Amino acid sequence: LTKDLGKGERLLSVNEMMKSCKVSRDTVVKVYNELKAQNLIIASPQKGYFVAENNKRLLLVLDTFKAYKEELYDSIISHLPEDYEVELVFHHYNIELLESLLNQGMPRCSCCAVMSFDHPGVPVLMNKIPRDKLLIIDWNVRMTEASFIGQNFDSALSGNLETHYEQ
């Protein structure tokens, strides 16, 4: 097998690859799983395995859509390399929805940025994502070892209180 495959092209099925390469099923499955983990291929149930269209894809998980979130989205887009695509989804503070969005989106995406919220299940879900592929946005709740960006309201609040009490 020395054929170059283009983006979106179908790979041989596991059974076809076993016969063609004369290797075990486990070997083919391991190779395909590794290629999926590297976002080089995608699996489509009942259809097969395909060369990934673009393995530079950000899964952006925000809480809700509001006007200022559009500014956040625009800022993220403007700072990404041009060859990145963004898959934007919203969890609406629902832990089951967040889990579903991550389970569906992460196999297609090379990295993930999540606007966190205060729920005991959030760290459990975040711990399933490799640290080098995860960015927590706005609120780092119960996460100690993840990359994090957020607003620092604490210093603004304490600065205002100090100014008020000095007068």
Side-chain angles (χ1 to χ4, degrees):
L1 293 172
T2 57
K3 178 185 172 197
D4 287 339
L5 296 174
K7 293 179 180 182
E9 285 193 56
R10 186 180 173 278
L11 280 70
L12 295 176
S13 70
V14 172
N15 290 335
E16 292 168 333
M17 188 65 81
M18 283 173 39
K19 291 175 187 172
S20 178
C21 296
K22 297 180 173 74
V23 295
S24 74
R25 178 178 194 76
D26 287 345
T27 300
V28 175
V29 170
K30 284 180 186 177
V31 169
Y32 278 11
N33 284 338
E34 180 60 29
L35 293 171
K36 285 191 323 186
Q38 295 177 27
N39 295 307
L40 297 173
I41 67 171
I42 57 171
S44 180
Q46 308 296 319
K47 293 181 182 176
Y49 296 90
F50 298 85
V51 176
E53 294 287 331
N54 183 352
N55 64 350
K56 293 182 177 180
R57 186 178 194 102
L58 168 68
L59 176 63
L60 178 57
V61 186
L62 300 180
D63 50 7
T64 59
F65 183 79
K66 303 232 165 100
Y68 75 93
K69 300 290 173 51
E70 188 172 359
E71 290 179 30
L72 173 64
Y73 173 81
D74 289 341
S75 178
I76 290 170
I77 294 295
S78 70
H79 288 86
L80 282 175
E82 288 183 22
D83 57 347
Y84 262 80
E85 294 177 5
V86 175
E87 185 172 323
L88 175 63
V89 294
F90 300 92
H91 60 64
H92 302 283
Y93 302 98
N94 180 311
I95 193 69
E96 290 85 15
L97 179 57
L98 176 61
E99 181 174 22
S100 176
L101 294 170
L102 292 173
N103 288 338
Q104 291 173 18
M106 280 309 295
R108 293 189 301 269
C109 298
S110 53
C111 54
C112 181
V114 179
M115 186 165 274
S116 186
F117 60 101
D118 190 11
H119 185 284
V122 170
V124 174
L125 295 176
M126 298 300 108
N127 284 327
K128 294 178 181 179
I129 302 169
R131 289 293 175 248
D132 62 334
K133 296 183 177 194
L134 174 64
L135 174 67
I136 304 291
I137 300 174
D138 199 36
W139 201 13
N140 190 1
V141 178
R142 298 186 187 102
M143 300 293 296
T144 57
E145 301 204 11
S147 296
F148 167 73
I149 61 171
Q151 302 176 61
N152 187 355
F153 292 115
D154 293 340
S155 64
L157 179 60
S158 64
N160 284 333
L161 288 173
E162 288 171 10
T163 301
H164 176 74
Y165 284 110
E166 286 175 3
Q167 297 173 0

